[in-house]
């Protein structure tokens, strides 16, 4: 065993721990379930990321959402269109620039969506706030690299 492993967590032990934790995390996320008032909307995972960003950052433009979701603006426009037709999202004019459209969670569903998806954001805030900026970056970069590695195995 290396000095590094004695001082912290060895790679194999880290993998064992994460293999135990990841299914638990996914299971808990699934248990959050879609609120009954939103079940009829057939929300897909791509919609959840969009809605979660609106919960976290509030109303914004399609371009800003696309940047946050790391997809093309046309992809976000299609999702916004789907959710707007169903009444989950509302589009409005930016009061500062009438040429820009602002996307927001429809007021009729805002409370349900915030209650449902806000819990995840609060949990992330609770665990990330005590870390330094460098520690948060390392965690996020590692998690992103893990996701990238899974995607490369397709």
């Amino acid at each position: 065993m290396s000095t590094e492993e004695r001082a912290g967590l060895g790679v194999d032990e880290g993998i064992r721990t994460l293999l135990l934790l990841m299914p638990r995390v996914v299971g808990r996320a699934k248990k959050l379930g879609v609120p009954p008032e939103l079940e009829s909307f057939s929300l897909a995972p791509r919609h959840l990321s969009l809605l979660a960003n609106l919960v976290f950052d509030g109303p914004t433009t399609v371009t800003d959402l696309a940047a946050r979701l790391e997809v093309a603006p046309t992809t976000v426009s299609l999702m916004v269109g789907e959710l707007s037709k169903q009444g989950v999202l509302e589009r409005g004019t930016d009061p500062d620039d009438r040429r820009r459209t602002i996307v927001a969670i429809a007021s009729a569903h805002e409370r349900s969506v915030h209650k449902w998806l806000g819990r995840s954001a609060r949990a992330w805030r609770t665990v990330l706030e005590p870390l330094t900026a460098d520690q948060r970056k390392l965690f996020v970069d590692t998690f992103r690299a893990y996701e990238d590695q899974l995607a490369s195995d397709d």
Side-chain angles (χ1 to χ4, degrees):
M1 179 182 286
S2 71
T3 304
E4 182 179 272
E5 288 175 329
R6 280 193 296 272
L9 186 66
V11 172
D12 287 349
E13 188 57 31
I15 292 169
R16 280 187 204 94
T17 302
L18 290 169
L19 289 174
L20 179 65
L21 287 173
M22 289 301 290
R24 288 182 188 170
V25 169
V26 171
R28 289 193 197 324
K30 286 183 177 181
K31 282 183 184 177
L32 293 175
V34 178
E37 58 274 19
L38 299 174
E39 283 179 350
S40 66
F41 298 120
S42 302
L43 298 171
R46 67 183 183 277
H47 297 127
L48 303 186
S49 293
L50 185 147
L51 290 169
N53 271 276
L54 290 172
V55 165
F56 189 70
D57 290 320
T60 191
T61 65
V62 166
T63 304
D64 288 344
L65 277 171
R68 290 181 200 151
L69 296 173
E70 299 176 357
V71 297
T74 53
T75 303
V76 173
S77 288
L78 289 171
M79 289 191 292
V80 168
E82 292 170 15
L83 296 176
S84 294
K85 286 178 188 170
Q86 295 181 67
V88 178
L89 297 180
E90 297 173 334
R91 295 179 192 177
T93 304
D94 183 342
D96 297 328
D97 183 348
R98 311 251 334 126
R99 297 168 294 170
R100 290 177 18 148
T101 300
I102 300 293
V103 178
I105 298 168
S107 55
H109 301 294
E110 192 169 13
R111 183 173 177 199
S112 295
V113 173
H114 276 262
K115 183 178 177 186
W116 172 40
L117 298 175
R119 182 175 176 198
S120 179
R122 287 189 302 277
W124 279 121
R125 180 174 299 285
T126 299
V127 300
L128 290 175
E129 255 180 349
L131 303 178
T132 66
D134 286 342
Q135 290 170 325
R136 283 189 293 271
K137 183 175 182 337
L138 176 63
F139 176 80
V140 171
D141 289 349
T142 302
F143 206 74
R144 183 181 305 277
Y146 173 73
E147 193 270 338
D148 289 345
Q149 186 61 47
L150 288 177
S152 73
D153 288 346
D154 287 346

